[in-house]
Amino acid sequence: MRIPSELVRLDDQVHAWLPHFPGTWGMANCVVVGSGPEVLLVDTPYTADLTRTLTAAARRVTAPGARVSTVVNTHANGDHSYGNGLFPDAEIISTDANLTHLCAEPTPGQLQAMLDGCRGEVAFERYLLAHFGRYDYGGLEVAAPTRTFSGRLDLLVGAVPVELYEVGPAHTAGDLVVHLPQSGVVCAGDVLFVGDVPVHWAGPLSGVVDACRQILDLDPRVVVPGHGPVVGQAEVRTYMAYMEELRGRLHELHGAGVDVEEASRVLLREHRRPGLGLWERLGVLAAVEYRHLGGVEEPLSLVEVLASAVRLAPDCVPEVVASRGELTAGLAELGVAAVPPGPRAGGGALAEDGRGVLPGDLAY
C-alpha cells in the first residue's frame, strides 16, 4: 500500500487525500477545497514530508498559482495538525476549546525524542515503534491556531461557502466538523473512524454519538472520516450504534462495581469486531469513559493511558519490529510503508456520481 500521490475527487471544488492504512496510527485524511486563487485545507499531515506530498497533489487539482490561505484543524492531535507550520501565511482556525487539548498533546520534538529512545526489548516500546516509528518529526514546530471560535463559524473560500460547527467534547475537547453545503460533504475529523476501532481521548462516548448525530443533521451526501475511506449516512449510523453499545456495557460494568482494568478486558473479550484493527483502543475507551463516570478531572496523559491499554492487550504487540532508521527510510521513499500485523479492512473509492464505494462489511 502506497502513500497517495493523487487526490480523490468529491466534486470540482473538493478533493480528499485518503492515506488508508488500516491497522496503524497516524495516517489521517485531509480535504482540499479550492476556488480560484484561494485554497482551504482541512487538517494537515503528521510530518513535513507527508505534508509536501499532499501539497504537490493539491497543486494538480487547484488553479495555477493558488495558495493555501486557510487551514482548519478539526482537532489538535498531531496527525491532523503537525503540518500546520508548512503554511506560514495561512490563517489557522480551530475551536476555542481546541487549545485545551493542544496543551496535552506531545510536541513533535517530544515524540521524536521518545521514539529515538525506544528499544525492542520493552513491549510498549515495540508497539510505539511499530505504529509511530516510521514518522520523522524533525524540523516540525507546533503552529497553534491564529483564529478560534465557539459554536459556529461561516467562511467563504472564493465562491465556496464553508460552515464550521463545534461538536466537542467528543474525540478531544475541541472537535469541529466542516460542512460544504454546495458539495454535500462533511469532514468529520476523528469523531468518526472507519476501518479500525476508534480512539477517543476526551469523551464521553455520548458526546461522540451526539457529534455524529450533528453530522447526520447536515444531511451529507459524503462523509470524510478522520481515518479510513469515505462513507455515507448509513455507515455513520452503524458507527453510532457501536459507540452506544460500548457505552452501555461500560456503564453496566461500572454500576456493578467492576474496576476499569477488568472492564477493559471485558470489552476486549466481548466487543472486538471482525475486520477492525487496533482493538487495544478499547482499553483507552474504557479508561476515558470511567474517568467521566468517576468524576475525574485531572489532565489525561495520552501516553500513559495508551500504555495501560496496550498492557491489557498483549497480542497487539509485534514480537519483532524494524529499527527506527529502517522505518523512517521506508516512509521517506514514499514506498510501501511497514504496517504492523493485524486485521485489514478494504479500501474505498468514489463512483462517478461521487458516492462512496465502500467495503462490503465495515464490521461495527
Side-chain angles (χ1 to χ4, degrees), residues 185-211:
V185 173
V186 169
C187 308
D190 280 1
V191 300
L192 177 65
F193 284 74
V194 176
D196 285 311
V197 172
V199 63
H200 296 303
W201 304 109
L205 288 174
S206 60
V208 177
V209 173
D210 288 344

Side-chain angles (χ1 to χ4, degrees), residues 53-101:
T53 299
L54 166 62
T55 302
R59 289 195 192 102
R60 291 191 281 274
V61 299
T62 53
R67 65 183 185 90
V68 175
S69 54
T70 306
V71 171
V72 174
N73 290 142
T74 59
H75 60 290
N77 284 154
D79 55 339
H80 295 258
S81 65
Y82 276 178
N84 287 1
L86 275 71
F87 305 97
D89 299 325
E91 181 175 56
I92 302 172
I93 302 175
S94 76
T95 64
D96 295 332
N98 189 55
L99 300 176
T100 301
H101 184 88

Side-chain angles (χ1 to χ4, degrees), residues 120-135:
E121 294 80 10
V122 179
F124 183 55
E125 292 183 6
R126 287 200 305 277
Y127 180 89
L128 291 176
L129 284 172
H131 289 282
F132 300 94
R134 64 178 57 84
Y135 302 115

Side-chain angles (χ1 to χ4, degrees), residues 276-296:
L276 294 185
L278 300 174
W279 54 83
E280 63 275 12
R281 289 174 169 177
L282 290 167
V284 177
L285 297 179
V288 170
E289 194 71 8
Y290 261 57
R291 283 169 58 88
H292 286 279
L293 291 168
V296 177

Side-chain angles (χ1 to χ4, degrees), residues 170-299:
H171 175 69
T172 67
D175 301 296
L176 66 84
V177 299
V178 180
H179 181 217
L180 305 167
Q182 290 183 347
S183 305
V185 173
V186 169
C187 308
D190 280 1
V191 300
L192 177 65
F193 284 74
V194 176
D196 285 311
V197 172
V199 63
H200 296 303
W201 304 109
L205 288 174
S206 60
V208 177
V209 173
D210 288 344
C212 290
R213 189 170 292 112
Q214 291 180 65
I215 291 172
L216 294 178
D217 287 344
L218 297 169
D219 193 26
R221 174 180 61 92
V222 171
V223 181
V224 182
H227 300 262
V230 299
V231 294
Q233 294 185 33
E235 290 73 27
V236 177
R237 292 189 181 93
T238 303
Y239 178 83
M240 292 166 65
Y242 185 45
M243 294 301 95
E244 289 173 328
E245 172 191 324
L246 295 177
R247 177 184 181 275
R249 190 69 171 113
L250 288 169
H251 283 234
E252 175 187 334
L253 292 166
H254 185 271
V258 176
D259 67 30
V260 65
E261 286 205 2
E262 182 56 29
S264 298
R265 292 188 180 97
V266 170
L267 293 194
L268 287 164
R269 287 195 304 269
E270 299 179 2
H271 295 274
R272 293 191 188 189
R273 291 292 180 271
L276 294 185
L278 300 174
W279 54 83
E280 63 275 12
R281 289 174 169 177
L282 290 167
V284 177
L285 297 179
V288 170
E289 194 71 8
Y290 261 57
R291 283 169 58 88
H292 286 279
L293 291 168
V296 177
E297 295 184 356
E298 63 256 27

Side-chain angles (χ1 to χ4, degrees), residues 330-344:
L331 188 63
E333 293 169 1
L334 298 182
V336 178
V339 178
R344 299 293 185 90

Side-chain angles (χ1 to χ4, degrees), residues 21-27 46-47 50 79 111 114-115 118 123-137 196 277-281 306 310 313-318 320-324 327-328 331 337-344:
F21 285 67
T24 194
W25 295 69
M27 290 292 185
Y46 213 7
T47 71
L50 290 172
D79 55 339
L111 275 179
M114 179 176 65
L115 291 165
C118 283
F124 183 55
E125 292 183 6
R126 287 200 305 277
Y127 180 89
L128 291 176
L129 284 172
H131 289 282
F132 300 94
R134 64 178 57 84
Y135 302 115
D136 181 358
Y137 304 104
D196 285 311
L278 300 174
W279 54 83
E280 63 275 12
R281 289 174 169 177
L306 178 58
V310 169
D315 54 339
C316 76
V317 180
V320 178
V321 65
S323 71
R324 176 100 160 101
L327 290 166
T328 55
L331 188 63
V339 178
R344 299 293 185 90

